[in-house]
C-alpha cells in the first residue's frame, strides 16, 4: 500500500469518522495517523449539528506512533462490548472486476434516482459467523442521503436487493453484498444491540415478554446474535413479513 | 424516472429487447407501466412481488427528487 495515502472521513462523531475510515482502509487504528480536523457539534438531539471530520494518514508498515493516539472520548449510552462491531476488513482491492461491476451498478441506479453520491466497494469478512462469510460492502457517501435509507431502512434494503439481483445475474453466481450509507448500518447495529440488552433487562425485571417493533430480517438478526449467549432470556421472531418482530422473554428453568 | 425502471428491468430479464416502459401523466401523478416477455414476468415481479416492490421503493425516491409521485404497474404481455 502507498504510505502517503490519506483519507478524509466525515461522520456524526469523531469516533464514527475514525471507525469508518479504518473500515474503509481495512486497517487497525495504530496503522494510521489520526488528525481530527473538526470535532463536530452534536446539536440538540443530533439536529442542526456539524459533522465531525478526521483525516487518516497511513503510516509506513510497522511504525506505531503511540503519541498520536486518539484522545477524544465519545459519550456512549452504555458501552456493551468494545470489540470491533461486525467486520474485519481483509484488504482493499483496487481494480477488482467484481467490485467495479457492483460499484457501477449502484452508481447507475443512484444516477437514475437523481441522487448525488460517491460509491466505493470492498471485500469484507464477517467474523461473527462461523466459517467466515466473505461479502462485498458497498459504501455510499454524500450529502443528505437520509432519503436513501427510508423508513425502517426500506429504501436502503430495496437498493441492496435490486443491486444484488443485478449483480448475481451478471456473475451467474450468488455473491453476498451489503450496501451502506454514511455508516448507517454500523450505527444501527450498535443501536440494536444496545436495545437488545435493555429489553432483555426489562424482560427479566418485569417477567413479561418484550415485543420489539417490526424489523427487517438483517436487523432482527443482530438482536438474536446479541442475546444468543444470554443465560436468562430467549429470543424469537414472530409474525409475518414485513411486520415480523423479535420477542424477548425470560428463559423458563425446567 | 422511466430510465430507472428501464435500467432495472433490462438488467434482470433474459430478453431485454422485449422490455417496454411507458410513462404517462395522470393528474399530478406519473404512471409508469412496464411490460416484459412472458418468461421474464417472474424475474420482474419476484416472490410475493418482492422485486416489483423494491422497484417501487426506488421509483418513489426518484419521483420525490422531482417533488412528484409515481406508480409502477407491471402489465401482462399480450
Amino acid at each position: 500500500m502507498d504510505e502517503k495515502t490519506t483519507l478524509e472521513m466525515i461522520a456524526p462523531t469523531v469516533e464514527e469518522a475514525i471507525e469508518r475510515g479504518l473500515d474503509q482502509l481495512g486497517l487497525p487504528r495504530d496503522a494510521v495517523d489520526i488528525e481530527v480536523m473538526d470535532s463536530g457539534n452534536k446539536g440538540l438531539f443530533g439536529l442542526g449539528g456539524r459533522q465531525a471530520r478526521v483525516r487518516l494518514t497511513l503510516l509506513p508498515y510497522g511504525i506505531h506512533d503511540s503519541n498520536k493516539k486518539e484522545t477524544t472520548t465519545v459519550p456512549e449510552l452504555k458501552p456493551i462490548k468494545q470489540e470491533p462491531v461486525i467486520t474485519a476488513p481483509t484488504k482493499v482491492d483496487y481494480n477488482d472486476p467484481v467490485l467495479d461491476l457492483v460499484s457501477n451498478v449502484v452508481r447507475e441506479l443512484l444516477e437514475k434516482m437523481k441522487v448525488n453520491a460517491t460509491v466505493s466497494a470492498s471485500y469484507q469478512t464477517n467474523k461473527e459467523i462461523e466459517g467466515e462469510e466473505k461479502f462485498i460492502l458497498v459504501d455510499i457517501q454524500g450529502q443528505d442521503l437520509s432519503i436513501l435509507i427510508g423508513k425502517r431502512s426500506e429504501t436502503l434494503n430495496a437498493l441492496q436487493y435490486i443491486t444484488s439481483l443485478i449483480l448475481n445475474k451478471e456473475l451467474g453466481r450468488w455473491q453476498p453484498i451489503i450496501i451502506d450509507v454514511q455508516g448507517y448500518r454500523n450505527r444501527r447495529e450498535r443501536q440494536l444491540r444496545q436495545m437488545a440488552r435493555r429489553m432483555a433487562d426489562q424482560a427479566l425485571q418485569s417477567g413479561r415478554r418484550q415485543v420489539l417493533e417490526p424489523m427487517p430480517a438483517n436487523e432482527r438478526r443482530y438482536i438474536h446474535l446479541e442475546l444468543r449467549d444470554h443465560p436468562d432470556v430467549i429470543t424469537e421472531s414472530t409474525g409475518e413479513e414485513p411486520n415480523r418482530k423479535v420477542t424477548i422473554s425470560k428463559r423458563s428453568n425446567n | 424516472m422511466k430510465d430507472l425502471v428501464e435500467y432495472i428491468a433490462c438488467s434482470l430479464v433474459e430478453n431485454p429487447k422485449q422490455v417496454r416502459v411507458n410513462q404517462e401523466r395522470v393528474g399530478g401523478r406519473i404512471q409508469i407501466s412496464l411490460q416484459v416477455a412472458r418468461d421474464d414476468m417472474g424475474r420482474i415481479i419476484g416472490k410475493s412481488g418482492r422485486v416489483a416492490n423494491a422497484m417501487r421503493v426506488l421509483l418513489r425516491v426518484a419521483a420525490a427528487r422531482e417533488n412528484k409521485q409515481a406508480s409502477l404497474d407491471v402489465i401482462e404481455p399480450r
Side-chain angles (χ1 to χ4, degrees):
Chain A
M1 241 178 265
D2 185 21
E3 56 225 49
K4 278 182 295 181
T5 306
T6 64
L7 177 70
E8 268 183 51
M9 289 304 295
I10 299 170
T13 67
V14 171
E15 198 54 35
E16 254 171 67
I18 295 171
E19 216 170 276
R20 295 191 53 71
L22 293 174
D23 240 34
Q24 214 167 78
L25 294 167
L27 288 168
R29 189 170 283 221
D30 54 7
V32 295
D33 184 36
I34 298 164
E35 189 184 338
V36 179
M37 300 169 75
D38 186 345
S39 56
N41 188 330
K42 269 210 143 98
L44 190 61
F45 304 119
L47 294 173
R50 208 171 62 241
Q51 300 239 318
R53 183 197 293 260
V54 299
R55 179 187 286 158
L56 307 182
T57 311
L58 292 197
L59 295 172
Y61 181 74
I63 297 176
H64 297 177
D65 189 349
S66 51
N67 297 327
K68 295 276 175 68
K69 272 244 167 88
E70 235 316 289
T71 47
T72 319
T73 49
V74 179
E76 252 184 87
L77 276 176
K78 198 183 183 188
I80 1 170
K81 274 193 265 168
Q82 283 309 339
E83 296 153 26
V85 192
I86 34 163
T87 54
T90 38
K91 54 176 178 170
V92 182
D93 274 300
Y94 296 105
N95 302 323
D96 175 284
V98 180
L99 294 182
D100 284 348
L101 174 64
V102 67
S103 312
N104 286 333
V105 170
V106 175
R107 275 185 207 118
E108 198 80 25
L109 288 169
L110 292 179
E111 188 204 303
K112 292 182 164 49
M113 286 161 72
K114 309 232 163 37
V115 173
N116 223 328
T118 52
V119 178
S120 58
S122 57
Y123 287 107
Q124 309 273 324
T125 318
N126 193 339
K127 272 202 304 194
E128 200 149 1
I129 290 168
E130 284 122 60
E132 294 209 339
E133 173 188 43
K134 207 175 168 201
F135 64 94
I136 292 176
L137 177 72
V138 181
D139 192 49
I140 303 174
Q141 296 280 340
Q143 300 277 311
D144 296 323
L145 295 182
S146 55
I147 192 169
L148 278 186
I149 298 171
K151 195 174 117 203
R152 286 190 212 153
S153 55
E154 181 189 45
T155 311
L156 191 51
N157 289 337
L159 184 64
Q160 180 172 310
Y161 184 57
I162 295 285
T163 305
S164 73
L165 287 177
I166 296 176
L167 181 68
N168 294 332
K169 175 147 199 307
E170 208 72 37
L171 292 176
R173 64 177 165 91
W174 176 252
Q175 166 64 58
I177 64 162
I178 289 183
I179 299 189
D180 199 1
V181 172
Q182 307 275 90
Y184 172 79
R185 297 228 189 251
N186 269 340
R187 214 154 58 226
R188 181 78 179 142
E189 180 189 345
R190 235 170 304 156
Q191 256 176 26
L192 288 167
R193 285 177 182 269
Q194 276 177 4
M195 182 169 72
R197 292 263 150 177
R198 225 169 36 235
M199 297 305 265
D201 287 347
Q202 262 182 48
L204 290 176
Q205 271 165 29
S206 66
R208 275 200 303 268
R209 194 169 77 132
Q210 302 293 310
V211 182
L212 309 192
E213 60 188 76
M215 285 171 210
N218 58 344
E219 298 197 348
R220 293 197 307 272
R221 196 173 136 256
Y222 292 127
I223 309 281
H224 294 306
L225 282 174
E226 182 65 22
L227 297 176
R228 89 183 147 181
D229 297 325
H230 196 296
D232 305 317
V233 297
I234 48 171
T235 60
E236 213 180 338
S237 290
T238 59
E240 292 296 316
E241 299 282 6
N243 284 315
R244 210 161 151 75
K245 304 163 189 172
V246 179
T247 62
I248 303 174
S249 46
K250 198 171 170 178
R251 194 186 285 270
S252 51
N253 294 310
N254 48 24
Chain B
M1 269 172 269
K2 186 183 159 190
D3 52 344
L4 175 68
V5 175
E6 208 161 49
Y7 172 69
I8 298 173
C10 288
S11 308
L12 295 179
V13 298
E14 296 291 335
N15 311 291
K17 280 184 187 148
Q18 292 183 50
V19 171
R20 300 272 177 278
V21 185
N22 225 320
Q23 180 165 337
E24 248 183 290
R25 264 184 100 137
V26 182
R29 298 179 59 91
I30 292 170
Q31 279 186 358
I32 294 181
S33 52
L34 168 63
Q35 196 171 2
V36 298
R38 190 171 294 277
D39 289 349
D40 284 323
M41 285 293 275
R43 293 185 181 88
I44 282 307
I45 294 170
K47 254 188 222 154
S48 340
R50 201 171 159 203
V51 180
N53 285 333
M55 280 199 276
R56 290 187 177 107
V57 171
L58 300 188
L59 180 63
R60 199 190 306 148
V61 173
R65 301 298 276 186
E66 298 175 22
N67 294 316
K68 286 174 187 151
Q69 287 189 318
S71 59
L72 172 67
D73 289 314
V74 181
I75 299 171
E76 195 78 33
R78 260 160 263 170

